[in-house]
Amino acid sequence: GKTNMFPLIQRCCFHTSFRLQKLTGPRLLLCAKDKTTWSSLGLRLRRDVCPLSRPPSLKPASVYATQLQAFHTSLPASKKKKPPESETESQESKGSLKDAPRPALYLSLGGLVPFVMAPLAMAIHGAYYAEVAFAQVTYGAVTASFLGGMRWGFALPEDGPAKPDWLNLANGIVPPLLAWQALLFKDATMGAVMLVMALGIALHYDIALLPPYPRWFQRLRVWGTVVMVLSLLTTVALKLILEEQTLEGRNTWQN
């Protein structure tokens, strides 16, 4: 019985290896595209391969199977989408003034009108008006106080990005204190200089020191502070220029 089984085993293994060698790489790839063909191929292999031995001729089939696996895994990789943009890039793309809410943008721009109108009116009439300058300083003091109080509103909510600690709340009081000091000066130009300091400190707190506002509001704060500071400094410059011209005119008229 044993002598009759060995020729049968050799014939089975030889027949299997001969059929595996016929299956080249491209043919296996074509078979892998169809699941039914692949399953029928597996059934044929299981039926033909002798379970008692594993001859060396099976190595090419394993190589082809590895190539098949690499082929199937490479296809989805080529179809992968590009990774999404990082958070910083997305924040930068949303940081322009065009992305600002319309009410916040229009109200902020409208709040700059009193700053600009004061020096513009004096430049048009060619004279310095102390009442107009004092009105500008008073409005600037109110604005600086509002910017300081806004920091409290940014820090007090429970889920807010800023904490109601000493740093946030104490620094929110500094601009109102400087604004109050600006109103105590008898000379409006000194009050304007004090307001420039208050607005600069408030901007430094909002941009660099404390937890930041949204990027669009940071840019709005920068441009708004630039307009307010230039308007106040223009009023100071007009006082110096126009008062000097007035004195020269009086001296000329007296002579």
Side-chain angles (χ1 to χ4, degrees):
K2 293 183 179 180
T3 56
N4 295 329
M5 287 184 64
F6 281 113
L8 179 61
I9 293 173
Q10 291 179 358
R11 190 173 12 177
C12 179
C13 294
F14 177 78
H15 181 69
T16 302
S17 61
F18 180 76
R19 300 186 69 172
L20 284 174
Q21 288 176 0
K22 286 184 178 182
L23 292 174
T24 57
R27 190 171 178 183
L28 282 175
L29 293 178
L30 294 175
C31 294
K33 293 181 180 179
D34 190 1
K35 293 183 179 180
T36 58
T37 307
W38 179 254
S39 60
S40 63
L41 177 62
L43 291 175
R44 289 174 60 187
L45 289 176
R46 291 180 182 178
R47 185 182 58 189
D48 294 337
V49 173
C50 180
L52 298 178
S53 63
R54 184 174 295 176
S57 59
L58 289 177
K59 290 184 179 179
S62 62
V63 173
Y64 296 144
T66 306
Q67 293 179 356
L68 275 175
Q69 186 178 3
F71 176 77
H72 286 290
T73 54
S74 62
L75 285 178
S78 62
K79 297 181 180 179
K80 287 182 180 179
K81 297 181 180 179
K82 295 182 180 180
E85 296 180 352
S86 60
E87 293 183 358
T88 55
E89 291 179 355
S90 62
Q91 288 179 358
E92 289 179 359
S93 63
K94 296 181 180 180
S96 62
L97 294 179
K98 296 179 180 180
D99 299 317
R102 297 306 176 189
L105 180 61
Y106 293 153
L107 290 175
S108 298
L109 294 177
L112 298 175
V113 173
F115 282 100
V116 179
M117 290 301 296
L120 183 61
M122 288 187 286
I124 292 174
H125 291 85
Y128 174 77
Y129 299 102
E131 295 82 3
V132 176
F134 181 75
Q136 185 190 32
V137 170
T138 304
Y139 183 73
V142 174
T143 304
S145 301
F146 170 75
L147 294 175
M150 188 169 57
R151 173 57 59 178
W152 277 57
F154 191 64
L156 288 180
E158 295 181 357
D159 298 332
K163 297 180 180 180
D165 53 10
W166 284 100
L167 181 65
N168 290 324
L169 299 183
N171 288 328
I173 297 177
V174 174
L177 290 176
L178 295 178
W180 171 64
Q181 182 65 35
L183 294 176
L184 296 179
F185 287 109
K186 294 181 179 180
D187 190 359
T189 56
M190 296 298 296
V193 173
M194 182 62 69
L195 279 179
V196 169
M197 295 175 56
L199 293 173
I201 291 174
L203 180 64
H204 173 68
Y205 287 161
D206 294 339
I207 300 301
L209 183 59
L210 300 180
Y213 293 109
R215 292 187 63 84
W216 62 265
F217 188 70
Q218 290 183 11
R219 296 191 178 186
L220 188 63
R221 286 279 291 109
V222 170
W223 287 108
T225 302
V226 169
V227 173
M228 290 185 286
V229 168
L230 290 178
S231 300
L232 291 169
L233 294 179
T234 302
T235 301
V236 174
L238 286 175
K239 179 185 179 182
L240 298 176
I241 295 172
L242 295 176
E243 283 186 348
E244 185 178 356
Q245 291 178 355
T246 302
L247 290 176
E248 290 179 356
R250 288 179 181 178
N251 293 334
T252 303
W253 181 76
Q254 288 177 0
N255 293 331

